[in-house]
């Protein structure tokens, strides 16, 4: 099959579908973006600028000023509900439209705008929606009731830059047999998978232990565990370019009433997950994608996940 992108100069693209599936993706934690902050970002093969208006709204624009091309993320400044370009001081509002040119000598403003991206803020996370054909979001990530609640510590974050596709990351939990071969579980875990529109649900384990898994598109997956300590974590994969993903694990841990930091047990659990994820990262970065793998009984619900995933690749 021909690669999705034919103009690659240094690495062949490994997948038979777009590197940027439709859906919501993590940009940053809310706490890292105060009112007036400006943050340059590189995602989806594009240069972007994220800022928070003085009233508190997060805004994501294409980074380069449509006037003469300055990067708004370097030297751009928030003014009211917009951002002012560092080069010629044009200001762009929260929709990306130019709303002030301080030196203009004629009435009116040119019909000029920077591309403005759909942004959502939920449970202390700033998210962006990607659609290859510019479709509006059809769904939103639900709030996590535990976030910000007394006794729940987090987010504790671990991060990698990985040569992988977000679908491979999402496929990791349905690939139940690798938990034995890679992560040394003593027995092959059982898994039950269901789909509900844009959400893939899976429960892995037995009566004594269960990993509950909910993937919201291919960029955001929440996992919940109750034993030996109650915790949950978000697996957030945001495509940087056609080859690489910004992978973050964001943990919320129930450390009990009055807790403000992780216990020794909590840090041990997070350390174990971090080490296990590093093993996956090594494999992902070198693997090939087989569109029709010869799956056998016991391989886990990989086929269910892949069929569900097709909805996130736009044809028009």
């Amino acid at each position: 099959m021909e690669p999705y992108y034919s103009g690659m100069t240094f690495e062949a693209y490994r997948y038979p579908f777009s590197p940027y599936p439709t859906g919501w993706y993590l940009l940053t934690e809310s706490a890292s973006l105060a009112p007036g902050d400006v943050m340059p970002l590189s995602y989806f093969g594009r240069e972007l600028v994220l800022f928070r208006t003085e009233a508190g709204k997060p805004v994501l624009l294409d980074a380069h000023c449509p006037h003469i091309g300055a990067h708004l993320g370097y030297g751009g400044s928030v003014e009211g509900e917009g951002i002012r370009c560092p080069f010629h001081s044009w200001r762009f509002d929260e929709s990306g439209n130019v709303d002030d040119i301080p030196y203009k000598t004629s009435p009116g403003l040119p019909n000029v705008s920077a591309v403005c991206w759909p942004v959502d803020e939920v449970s202390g996370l700033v998210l962006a929606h990607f659609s290859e054909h510019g479709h509006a979001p059809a769904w939103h990530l639900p709030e996590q009731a535990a976030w910000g609640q007394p006794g729940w510590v987090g987010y504790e974050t671990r991060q990698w830059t990985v040569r992988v596709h977000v679908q491979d990351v999402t496929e990791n939990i349905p690939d139940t047999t690798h938990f034995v071969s890679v992560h040394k579980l003593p027995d092959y875990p059982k898994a039950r998978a269901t789909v509900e529109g844009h959400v893939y649900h899976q429960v892995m384990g037995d009566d004594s232990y269960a990993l509950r898994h909910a993937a919201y598109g291919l960029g955001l997956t929440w996992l919940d565990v109750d034993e030996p300590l109650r915790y949950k974590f978000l697996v957030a994969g945001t495509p940087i370019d056609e080859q690489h993903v910004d992978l973050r694990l964001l943990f919320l841990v129930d450390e009990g009433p009055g807790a403000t930091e992780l216990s020794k047990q909590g840090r041990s659990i997070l350390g174990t997950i971090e080490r296990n994820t590093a093993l996956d990262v090594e494999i992902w970065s070198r693997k090939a994608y087989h569109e029709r793998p010869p799956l056998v009984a016991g391989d886990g619900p990989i086929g269910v996940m892949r069929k569900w995933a097709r909805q996130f690749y736009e044809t028009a």
Side-chain angles (χ1 to χ4, degrees), residues 170-299:
T170 308
E171 198 170 290
N172 199 55
I173 302 298
D175 183 4
T176 55
T177 57
H178 94 283
F179 283 91
V180 174
S181 55
V182 177
H183 304 306
K184 309 308 178 186
L185 260 62
D187 199 4
Y188 293 101
K190 297 180 175 62
R192 303 179 298 281
T194 58
V195 298
E196 184 180 0
H198 63 275
V199 187
Y200 171 94
H201 296 279
Q202 181 178 307
V203 177
M204 187 177 75
D206 53 31
D207 292 338
S208 62
Y209 174 88
L211 178 66
R212 298 183 300 279
H213 168 216
Y216 298 87
L218 294 175
L220 300 165
T221 297
W222 274 105
L223 296 102
D224 289 77
V225 182
D226 293 330
E227 297 290 343
L229 192 66
R230 189 180 177 202
Y231 65 96
K232 56 180 61 192
F233 63 101
L234 178 68
V235 180
T238 306
I240 299 169
D241 54 33
E242 60 269 19
Q243 295 284 352
H244 302 92
V245 164
D246 179 12
L247 175 65
R248 281 165 282 184
L249 307 184
L250 296 93
F251 294 88
L252 293 172
V253 183
D254 186 3
E255 292 286 7
T260 57
E261 61 183 29
L262 289 178
S263 62
K264 182 177 180 180
Q265 183 183 33
R267 292 197 178 278
S268 176
I269 290 171
L270 267 61
T272 297
I273 296 172
E274 182 177 9
R275 289 189 295 274
N276 278 318
T277 302
L279 295 174
D280 291 325
V281 165
E282 284 296 310
I283 293 172
W284 291 337
S285 64
R286 296 175 175 86
K287 72 181 288 293
Y289 182 85
H290 290 166
E291 191 170 10
R292 295 178 178 82
L295 299 175
V296 299
D299 262 328

Side-chain angles (χ1 to χ4, degrees), residues 9-302:
T9 58
F10 61 99
E11 285 183 309
Y13 185 68
R14 297 178 289 167
Y15 299 91
F17 35 63
S18 167
Y20 311 126
T22 300
W24 289 98
Y25 296 93
L26 176 64
L27 297 176
T28 190
E29 293 181 45
S30 298
S32 69
L33 190 73
D37 282 353
V38 178
M39 184 181 295
L41 298 171
S42 297
Y43 288 125
F44 315 109
R46 295 157 171 81
E47 293 295 312
L48 305 168
V49 59
L50 175 68
F51 64 94
R52 193 182 292 280
T53 71
E54 291 181 5
K57 180 179 179 179
V59 178
L60 184 69
L61 304 177
D62 277 4
H64 294 104
C65 177
H67 176 218
I68 306 293
H71 196 302
L72 299 172
Y74 295 94
S77 57
V78 172
E79 186 180 286
E81 298 308 285
I83 186 169
R84 197 171 283 282
C85 176
F87 200 12
H88 298 94
S89 294
W90 288 30
R91 188 177 66 186
F92 299 88
D93 66 17
E94 62 189 62
S95 298
N97 300 313
V98 63
D99 67 356
D100 181 61
I101 301 172
Y103 58 83
K104 73 178 184 67
T105 58
S106 59
L109 290 167
N111 184 20
V112 172
S113 63
V115 173
C116 185
W117 293 61
V119 171
D120 205 357
E121 192 161 22
V122 56
S123 303
L125 305 170
V126 181
L127 311 174
H129 186 269
F130 180 88
S131 165
E132 189 168 359
H133 293 93
H135 299 313
W139 52 272
H140 294 268
L141 187 72
E143 293 278 357
Q144 284 291 322
W147 181 77
Q149 293 302 306
W152 283 88
V153 177
Y155 295 108
E156 290 279 339
T157 303
R158 306 293 183 268
Q159 187 169 14
W160 298 260
T161 298
V162 193
R163 181 176 177 260
V164 72
H165 191 285
V166 288
Q167 182 166 319
D168 275 335
V169 176
T170 308
E171 198 170 290
N172 199 55
I173 302 298
D175 183 4
T176 55
T177 57
H178 94 283
F179 283 91
V180 174
S181 55
V182 177
H183 304 306
K184 309 308 178 186
L185 260 62
D187 199 4
Y188 293 101
K190 297 180 175 62
R192 303 179 298 281
T194 58
V195 298
E196 184 180 0
H198 63 275
V199 187
Y200 171 94
H201 296 279
Q202 181 178 307
V203 177
M204 187 177 75
D206 53 31
D207 292 338
S208 62
Y209 174 88
L211 178 66
R212 298 183 300 279
H213 168 216
Y216 298 87
L218 294 175
L220 300 165
T221 297
W222 274 105
L223 296 102
D224 289 77
V225 182
D226 293 330
E227 297 290 343
L229 192 66
R230 189 180 177 202
Y231 65 96
K232 56 180 61 192
F233 63 101
L234 178 68
V235 180
T238 306
I240 299 169
D241 54 33
E242 60 269 19
Q243 295 284 352
H244 302 92
V245 164
D246 179 12
L247 175 65
R248 281 165 282 184
L249 307 184
L250 296 93
F251 294 88
L252 293 172
V253 183
D254 186 3
E255 292 286 7
T260 57
E261 61 183 29
L262 289 178
S263 62
K264 182 177 180 180
Q265 183 183 33
R267 292 197 178 278
S268 176
I269 290 171
L270 267 61
T272 297
I273 296 172
E274 182 177 9
R275 289 189 295 274
N276 278 318
T277 302
L279 295 174
D280 291 325
V281 165
E282 284 296 310
I283 293 172
W284 291 337
S285 64
R286 296 175 175 86
K287 72 181 288 293
Y289 182 85
H290 290 166
E291 191 170 10
R292 295 178 178 82
L295 299 175
V296 299
D299 262 328
I302 296 172

